[in-house]
Amino acid sequence: MMKPWTRILVWLCLAGVLLFLYAPLFPPLLLAIQDPATGQLTLQNFGTIHSDPTLVGALMNSIILAAIVGVAAPLLALAAAQAVRSFGIPRLIITVILLPLFIPGVSMGVSTSLFFNLTGIDPSLLTMAVVQTLWALPFAFLIILTVMSGFDTLYLEAAYTCGANRAQAFREIELPQIAPGISGAATFSVILSFNETIRTAVVQGATIPSRRSSGPGISRSASPRICTP
């Protein structure tokens, strides 16, 4: 059993780590609730967000993107995890799925944008959703694959013996067991979508506002679209 002073030391270390991580957020928060002219505390700055159509449109686009990525990434990750177990090439599948983790964000954004440009696909929410899904897919895949590793396939064999087909066995036996992993992958994909900046900025084009291109000091007229002859 942990001694009282050891427990206190652990909690102090944890508090120090949290303070180190979140302390940089306090100065922007204090500036956000201050009047630039008088320096008094006010919430008027937050109220003016609703009157800026660019910020509102950017927020809505970000929410739509997060919803798309939160659905697409876990479904693709689930299919890939099933393929790892079913096919005889698990290393190849895992390598392909995890490959985006080893590609720098700028390189991935530029290559994806160049591909869309060469194929005649204009920048849209679809192109942004594709690049964000590619980025979130490895994380969702690892989460679901970890959960599936703890599932005993003997339950599926028992379901097959009782006359269930593969779809029925998955829906009624395996899915309830791995559902927490799928929901966790969806939640993490949504977080990654809101946190993604570099890849999205390259493929979004100049006419699609998002939360990532509407911050202070960012030129809204600058186009990140790749121009090729």
Side-chain angles (χ1 to χ4, degrees):
M1 184 176 180
M2 189 179 296
K3 296 181 180 180
W5 64 269
T6 305
R7 185 181 295 108
I8 294 175
L9 182 61
V10 170
W11 280 106
L12 288 176
C13 292
L14 179 60
V17 171
L18 293 177
L19 182 63
F20 175 77
L21 292 175
Y22 292 103
L25 299 179
F26 287 106
L29 179 61
L30 293 177
L31 291 176
I33 59 177
Q34 285 184 353
D35 190 324
T38 63
Q40 297 179 349
L41 298 181
T42 178
L43 297 179
Q44 184 179 359
N45 298 330
F46 294 96
T48 55
I49 295 178
H50 302 284
S51 60
D52 191 330
T54 302
L55 291 178
V56 174
L59 179 60
M60 293 303 301
N61 287 340
S62 297
I63 293 175
I64 294 173
L65 281 173
I68 295 175
V69 176
V71 173
L75 291 179
L76 294 175
L78 177 60
Q82 292 286 343
V84 168
R85 187 175 63 187
S86 301
F87 299 153
I89 49 174
R91 293 184 179 180
L92 177 61
I93 297 174
I94 294 176
T95 301
V96 172
I97 297 298
L98 298 185
L99 190 60
L101 294 178
F102 303 97
I103 302 177
V106 174
S107 300
M108 185 176 178
V110 170
S111 60
T112 307
S113 180
L114 181 60
F115 170 79
F116 288 141
N117 190 277
L118 293 176
T119 54
I121 301 176
D122 295 328
S124 64
L125 287 178
L126 176 61
T127 60
M128 297 164 65
V130 168
V131 73
Q132 288 192 10
T133 301
L134 289 175
W135 170 238
L137 180 59
F139 299 96
F141 171 74
L142 290 175
I143 294 174
I144 295 178
L145 188 64
T146 302
V147 174
M148 287 182 56
S149 65
F151 175 76
D152 194 345
T153 56
L154 290 177
Y155 292 113
L156 295 179
E157 297 294 336
Y160 299 150
T161 303
C162 294
N165 55 36
R166 296 192 63 176
Q168 289 176 325
F170 172 77
R171 183 177 64 254
E172 299 179 10
I173 303 299
E174 185 175 8
L175 183 58
Q177 300 294 325
I178 65 174
I182 297 176
S183 62
T187 302
F188 199 66
S189 298
V190 170
I191 295 174
L192 287 175
S193 174
F194 274 103
N195 192 51
E196 211 317 282
T197 302
I198 299 176
R199 301 162 185 82
T200 307
V202 176
V203 301
Q204 73 179 13
T207 60
I208 308 172
S210 70
R211 175 189 54 80
R212 303 155 187 85
S213 62
S214 301
I218 299 180
S219 174
R220 298 175 186 172
S221 60
S223 172
R225 184 176 178 180
I226 301 298
C227 296
T228 56

